[in-house]
Amino acid sequence: MKILVINCGSSSIKYELFEMEDESVIAEGLIEKIGTESAIITYQATDKEELMKTAEILDHREGLNLVLRLLMDDKDGVIASKNEVAAVGHRVVHGGEFFSESAVITSEVRQAIRKTVDLAPLHNPPNLLGIAAAEQQLPDAIHVAVFDTAFHQTMPKHAYLYPLPYVLYTRHKIRRYGFHGTSHKYVSEQAALFIEKPLTELKIISAHIGNGASVTAIDHGISIDTSMGMTPLEGLMMGTRCGDIDPAIVPYVIAKEDLTLSEIQSMMNKHSGLLGVTGMSSDMREVTQAMEEGNEQAKLAIDMYLYKLRKTIGSYIAAMNGVDILLFTAGVGENSSYVRQEVCKELSFFGIELDQSKNNIRSKKTREISTPNSKVKVLVVPTYEELMIAREAKHLVDQQ
Ligand code: ADP
């Protein structure tokens, strides 16, 4: 069975075609700058050369049309006809309270995603555009929505509510939802497989740290708390996002700096975090390098980043009254031995003990980096959200 996974941003379509027989990728690529005369198209069929070109692509429908033409191309294509695509897995950022699991897209499902647009105004509209385009191009395929928020719908009320007037929850659904759910679910499953224990017997803390970052407490396979909130701005210090701050700062800075609401939102989302503190870069590699070269501001930014991450992990040990596995994933988590080392160093009270030589090994595979004596297993687990989306879609197709 072949499954196409698509992830639509406001001006981009990321796609990957899977053969689910062996969960291999047959072709993948990206279209960027949709809506312009010079959209950038990349396409790579496995074992063939990568193609790159520019073309006028005015909307997601045209973009997807081109993706399918590339997939069926006489020379570089990998399928003979559209009918070979049994299902399309759509990444949808926000499922609100409507979805606690992935769903076959029907008119009711589309309607519910539309109702959630207010909560994710930057993400859900392009996701809906992608769904409409794919349904038009592939009318016979089964379309499945996989939500970033769904995995966290198991959070108990005391974890997801904000201590604001309750009416804001009943009236506007203001609550914590959490994100990166597809990744947290995937890596926690991989971790359980790796140590050969059932997920339902484990307390796992999953640190997904990339440009965006969140930590999740997964108690016996269930997300009971996560650091992102109603939006992906809450929680950890990130590449460009500030994470938790005193909310009273917002009106204060608006008044002092004469900012509009959208300017302060942009400041907190795009000009804060590592970028805001260093004034130089949001990229952990560059900030780490600057720190190693003696840049004091870079050192301060990384110390702040590590401190918040460590406190969050500690709070989830308290939330679950213990932890069996601490895992690191995503760009920083998978690649920065320094971040892993510094976070774990100060968690030794909990019996977390890192093996430095294992921590320094670079690998694309799931691996253990703690010592045999460590009370908590520390793992690095590469995330693979696209595969998880394909698996979710296959699961729903199999149920049809
Ligand atoms: P996104 O959230 O956009 O999916 P990624 O998961 O790709 O992001 O993570 C990107 C982050 O990972 C960047 O800050 C990048 O610097 C960081 N990163 C990648 N490789 C390394 C490395 N070797 N050392 C430290 N940070 C790294």
Side-chain angles (χ1 to χ4, degrees):
M1 181 194 299
K2 292 187 179 62
I3 292 183
L4 180 64
V5 171
I6 63 173
N7 182 353
C8 289
S10 57
S11 62
S12 67
I13 303 175
K14 202 171 159 208
Y15 60 95
E16 222 162 297
L17 183 65
F18 285 87
E19 172 49 75
M20 295 310 286
E21 209 73 31
D22 57 359
E23 296 190 332
S24 62
V25 176
I26 327 175
E28 63 187 308
L30 177 67
I31 306 186
E32 295 163 280
K33 291 172 76 178
I34 293 175
T36 71
E37 288 171 0
S38 51
I40 306 164
I41 301 124
T42 49
Y43 171 82
Q44 172 136 47
T46 303
D47 300 331
K48 290 192 183 163
E49 240 174 69
E50 187 181 37
L51 307 179
M52 194 167 181
K53 60 177 180 174
T54 56
E56 180 179 83
I57 296 184
L58 294 181
D59 57 24
H60 286 72
R61 209 167 34 154
E62 279 183 24
L64 213 63
N65 186 313
L66 179 66
V67 169
L68 287 162
R69 287 207 315 268
L70 286 166
L71 291 171
M72 294 188 295
D73 185 74
D74 285 343
K75 183 162 155 273
D76 297 301
V78 289
I79 52 174
S81 105
K82 287 181 182 182
N83 297 337
E84 286 183 48
V85 180
V88 183
H90 297 264
R91 179 185 183 207
V92 180
V93 167
H94 218 306
E97 284 192 329
F98 295 107
F99 301 101
S100 55
E101 48 193 37
S102 304
V104 171
I105 299 173
T106 58
S107 55
E108 290 80 28
V109 168
R110 257 191 309 272
Q111 188 61 23
I113 299 174
R114 245 178 246 126
K115 281 191 187 154
T116 316
V117 161
D118 275 355
L119 291 170
L122 298 178
H123 295 105
N124 275 25
N127 295 158
L128 280 163
L129 284 177
I131 291 171
E135 283 180 332
Q136 196 195 37
Q137 297 292 331
L138 294 162
D140 297 327
I142 293 171
H143 293 261
V144 172
V146 181
F147 302 92
D148 271 21
T149 50
F151 182 57
H152 303 299
Q153 278 296 299
T154 44
M155 279 194 284
K157 214 164 187 174
H158 62 256
Y160 74 67
L161 280 181
Y162 293 109
L164 291 164
Y166 195 77
V167 68
L168 292 179
Y169 169 60
T170 48
R171 219 183 265 163
H172 306 296
K173 293 287 173 240
I174 290 176
R175 52 158 285 180
R176 307 179 60 252
Y177 292 93
F179 297 85
H180 293 140
T182 311
S183 174
H184 288 298
K185 185 176 179 192
Y186 175 78
V187 291
S188 58
E189 288 178 5
Q190 292 299 111
L193 281 175
F194 183 81
I195 69 155
E196 297 180 346
K197 280 208 173 152
L199 193 53
T200 49
E201 287 175 14
L202 294 168
K203 295 177 180 181
I204 299 178
I205 295 179
S206 166
H208 175 117
I209 37 179
N211 284 317
S214 67
V215 180
T216 296
I218 303 162
D219 197 355
H220 298 83
I222 283 172
S223 168
I224 60 131
D225 205 348
T226 191
S227 59
M228 283 178 170
M230 186 175 96
T231 76
L233 184 56
E234 189 179 335
L236 302 173
M237 173 172 164
M238 310 180 210
T240 62
R241 291 175 227 160
C242 57
D244 297 336
I245 57 167
D246 182 341
I249 292 170
V250 175
Y252 190 80
V253 173
I254 285 180
K256 289 281 178 194
E257 294 279 327
D258 195 20
L259 299 181
T260 62
L261 265 183
S262 91
E263 282 167 340
I264 195 151
Q265 267 188 325
S266 162
M267 185 192 87
M268 294 187 295
N269 279 290
K270 296 184 183 153
H271 306 285
S272 297
L274 290 175
L275 176 63
V277 178
T278 60
M280 179 188 77
S281 173
S282 63
D283 190 303
M284 184 52 97
R285 263 169 308 198
E286 292 173 12
V287 181
T288 308
Q289 197 184 336
M291 178 187 74
E292 286 165 358
E293 289 164 4
N295 182 317
E296 294 283 327
Q297 208 62 19
K299 166 98 174 75
L300 172 63
I302 293 186
D303 284 349
M304 291 167 66
Y305 184 98
L306 292 170
Y307 182 59
K308 181 71 189 184
L309 180 55
R310 205 160 65 223
K311 279 203 298 186
T312 309
I313 291 169
S315 72
Y316 289 167
I317 297 177
M320 291 194 288
N321 192 17
V323 58
D324 301 304
I325 296 176
L326 167 63
L327 73 81
F328 292 93
T329 192
V332 178
E334 290 169 34
N335 296 300
S336 174
S337 52
Y338 178 75
V339 166
R340 296 191 301 254
Q341 167 198 304
E342 292 302 301
V343 166
C344 291
K345 199 159 77 184
E346 304 291 336
L347 292 170
S348 57
F349 174 82
F350 298 108
I352 291 177
E353 205 178 278
L354 220 56
D355 179 322
Q356 288 311 336
S357 56
K358 285 187 191 163
N359 184 39
N360 289 329
I361 295 171
R362 297 189 67 83
S363 159
K364 294 257 171 258
K365 291 203 174 124
T366 297
R367 58 201 184 275
E368 184 174 346
I369 56 170
S370 43
T371 65
N373 286 335
S374 180
K375 269 207 283 186
V376 179
K377 283 193 188 302
V378 185
L379 306 182
V380 179
V381 184
T383 192
Y384 198 171
E385 285 162 291
E386 293 78 11
L387 175 59
M388 192 67 192
I389 294 173
R391 282 184 184 168
E392 294 276 311
K394 177 169 186 302
H395 177 66
L396 288 177
V397 171
D398 287 344
Q399 283 182 349
Q400 293 281 303

